[in-house]
Amino acid sequence: MLKTNPGNYFEDFRLGQTIRHATPRTVTAGDVALYTALYGSRFALQSSDAFARAVGYPQAPVDDLLTFHVVFGKTVPDVSLNAVANLGYADCRFLRAVYPGDTLSTVSEVIGLKENSNGKTGTVYVRSVGTNQKGEEVLSYVRWVMVRKRDEQAPAPEAMVPTPPKRVDLSELGRACPVINTKAWNDGLAGSSHRFKDYAAGEKIDHVDGMTVEEAEHMLATRLYQNTAKVHFNQHSEAQGRFGRRLIYGGHVISLARALSFNGLANAFHIAAINGGRHVAPLFAGGTVFAWSEIIETADVPGRNDVGALRIVTRATRDVPCAEFPVEDGAPDKPGVILELDYWALMVR
Amino acid sequence: MLKTNPGNYFEDFRLGQTIRHATPRTVTAGDVALYTALYGSRFALQSSDAFARAVGYPQAPVDDLLTFHVVFGKTVPDVSLNAVANLGYADCRFLRAVYPGDTLSTVSEVIGLKENSNGKTGTVYVRSVGTNQKGEEVLSYVRWVMVRKRDEQAPAPEAMVPTPPKRVDLSELGRACPVINTKAWNDGLAGSSHRFKDYAAGEKIDHVDGMTVEEAEHMLATRLYQNTAKVHFNQHSEAQGRFGRRLIYGGHVISLARALSFNGLANAFHIAAINGGRHVAPLFAGGTVFAWSEIIETADVPGRNDVGALRIVTRATRDVPCAEFPVEDGAPDKPGVILELDYWALMVR
Amino acid sequence: MLKTNPGNYFEDFRLGQTIRHATPRTVTAGDVALYTALYGSRFALQSSDAFARAVGYPQAPVDDLLTFHVVFGKTVPDVSLNAVANLGYADCRFLRAVYPGDTLSTVSEVIGLKENSNGKTGTVYVRSVGTNQKGEEVLSYVRWVMVRKRDEQAPAPEAMVPTPPKRVDLSELGRACPVINTKAWNDGLAGSSHRFKDYAAGEKIDHVDGMTVEEAEHMLATRLYQNTAKVHFNQHSEAQGRFGRRLIYGGHVISLARALSFNGLANAFHIAAINGGRHVAPLFAGGTVFAWSEIIETADVPGRNDVGALRIVTRATRDVPCAEFPVEDGAPDKPGVILELDYWALMVR
């Protein structure tokens, strides 16, 4: 019996199937330091225990996206080892703050299956849930990927396509956020005097700075998350592949864009939910990532007068500064937009 | 008097000499995170405090090879600064688990000396012992290196060649491993349902994945271990050297091979001993490392019914996938085998 | 109103102005591990809790330069985002040891202003003070930078040029250093038997080793310090700039030089003050850094018989070994001296 993991092929997935993913992971101050070194994020809440305590957290929580990457990484060997493409995320909700010392595990359920008309691939929809060492849910999201069939003759399953919400409901936001002491929130330390009331739907913000990515950086990051997708690490095989190069983990781009967004959104201290995310074009080492954001909606969070919610679409580009707010132009091989991320951030009032 | 360390030359070593190496090192959660980022290791025991506690450890132990590298690194300024070649390791025994917060020191004893017939170099054999802050031994191994003579006219010492065992005795295994609660061992979390009984001598396992190495990565690793060997860091001088490039620390290859071996040996949770190791050919940045393992022997560990021992030979290659189980072919300049590591791993029953 | 930070231009600074910089930062064992991985520093005091406790510290303190970089990094978005050149440091005093868990913040005061005769730029002098979570000062230094004017027509302020001391007074040294138990100081573990009495003014020490720097390394370091200066990160814009390449943060060179200086100054365990520092020429990835030191003065520290002070000038070079003790030769585009750092180190007696 084969001892190595060949990954699952499309016909291996069954609707309703539950997959417990390997390698629970204790997140530590070491991971937090590496996350800072990899992205240069400067949000005060995640950087400072003293700041976090002053505003209502027991200590500095782990960056929301570090939690996302660790929870996500575990699913790769079971869900996307034979994936052709990562198609999207939706209904991603951060349910509980994660602190250094917490141990994260992930379980996925297959919630949709649809074979493609070519008979060679199919789309697999999973709901993945990350839990901490107490069994409390910290993160839940839907993801869909296009996966190869092992045997093209294998019969197609009955198609089932789930319909996650396009927009996470306001009642779901704030679950991972304690009551914030808005008076103790020091704008000088946080890096901006702009609070919730200062943002309006339709507003566009160029995050100005650019960050060039090196091979060593994205590989360190992706291994830190114990994400094993081959395309990120193996130049020997990728040299023969579609791009001739290692492909950078899409989550690395999300984290870069979020770190860059500090310049303009410094008080958007918590990602409460991701409504949807698309990796529009690939990123390779040597590329420089820029980002800009559009405020889509501003909303009250039910029962909360300490924080408001901003629905933000952040676009990241490869080798294109964002002063003119570029959008996808359908030319994936040229410099341009590589990421579109639609998310809810909480901002202090 | 010279204040910088010129390293020891062959004629500086005396049989029975004891060398206390500099820089005790407290290993922390930061080192553990970096180790994960550098190799992507996914063994559950070392990744999760919760998993470790469930099976019988007080918390997640530090990866055995991280301990090895830290203990080894200290010996370089005294033992191998003037080495021509690192010839081998033997009788390497892991004697006690190491946890974040422990402080490691190393003492070496010269146990053998043999001048080469050319009169220019000689082989130095040392037994190096790593201890923790309580003085408890955590690691003991024999290493031999070919070292330059400062003065070719210096008289040869009487030759003394130690004969460490080719195979560490079974009674030595398991000393760093508490009693494992085999029922609490969750195969799903550990990443494999294959336990000790499922492996047999003669079995060969291709670990499938490949990992390309960048200059920044191996230098970060080697500095983390405070290993000062010049060949790893100084492109200015190496450009004039034998290879024209920086040479990657051999231990980096060992750690990569071990991390890759998770795919096929996920329940081989602890390296109990290294019978021998040889760096057959060098690795340089840009090379992609693959690995495969052969089970040489399966054995009971005296007095233990929770774990069994697998004697494994893992071979790592440069730029050669291992589906056909390549062995050394004597062409060190071409893609091929770069490491042969013969070790005992404990696996849960 | 602009939500992104455009940085301050020369005419935005006012004499006596106080700037509270953003993002307090809790320093952790993760940062310490990264610092070791980035520079390979081997000083026993900073590497080992056990060693630190034996000699009189409560635990291993954070490397003085890690403290410097974190405190400094915070000032960049407010002080030097529009800087043309970083002109110098002076009167830098380490006032209190920093330990993992401490949270660092920085406040700067504008203490001098002088417009340049070209009317396009001016020099800004700031005193920056780093404090811990208790409000205790840990670091204080003067820095001056040449900053662009936004509007060349803006009137010049009255010139005020502060005159920090060329040499930090002996009474200021030792404030961050507890009484050292000199008998418990183990020279073997510390890496040298040379103590304070063994050094004399005029002595020159070649630190021998060279360290090549990669893009990924200096960017990881500079992000770890949350230093946002664009020139270090954005190859897309730097390709059009003066050098065509990303410029390495000058502090990265300081840390490399200090780490290399272990080989010759192993018992100079603490940087008590920096009298002055100049980045004589830039460093780029691919360059190899070497260093040598000259002992300028040896001095008693008032009231202390456990430690003495060495005034040291350390020079770092790019691609030039230091056996012949090179000094600045006014050819910044060629291999040669890149850093001149004049500092006080404490050494055990």
Side-chain angles (χ1 to χ4, degrees), chain B residues 147-161:
Chain B
V147 178
R148 266 187 216 94
K149 293 179 73 174
R150 185 192 293 104
D151 171 8
E152 295 188 12
Q153 306 310 316
E158 192 175 354
M160 165 66 202
V161 174

Side-chain angles (χ1 to χ4, degrees), chain B residues 25-49:
Chain B
R25 172 82 152 79
T26 302
V27 178
T28 71
D31 300 305
V32 171
L34 265 161
Y35 193 86
T36 301
L38 288 161
Y39 305 110
S41 187
R42 291 188 289 143
F43 293 95
L45 177 67
Q46 285 80 14
S47 296
S48 167
D49 284 334

Side-chain angles (χ1 to χ4, degrees), chain A residues 199-270:
Chain A
Y199 291 82
E203 186 170 357
K204 295 178 178 182
I205 302 167
D206 171 19
H207 300 308
V208 180
D209 304 307
M211 185 69 73
T212 305
V213 181
E214 301 293 324
E215 298 281 14
E217 293 170 353
H218 76 84
M219 294 202 299
L220 286 169
T222 310
R223 284 186 299 247
L224 185 70
Y225 313 140
Q226 297 178 312
N227 177 330
T228 60
K230 305 170 188 203
V231 292
H232 309 315
F233 300 114
N234 185 337
Q235 183 57 35
H236 184 81
S237 62
E238 292 311 307
Q240 264 76 60
R242 181 158 49 136
F243 302 111
R245 323 186 46 179
R246 283 163 278 176
L247 189 63
I248 293 177
Y249 164 49
H252 197 68
V253 178
I254 297 178
S255 281
L256 283 169
R258 166 72 174 159
L260 292 170
S261 80
F262 177 86
N263 197 356
L265 289 167
N267 280 326
F269 65 92
H270 168 48

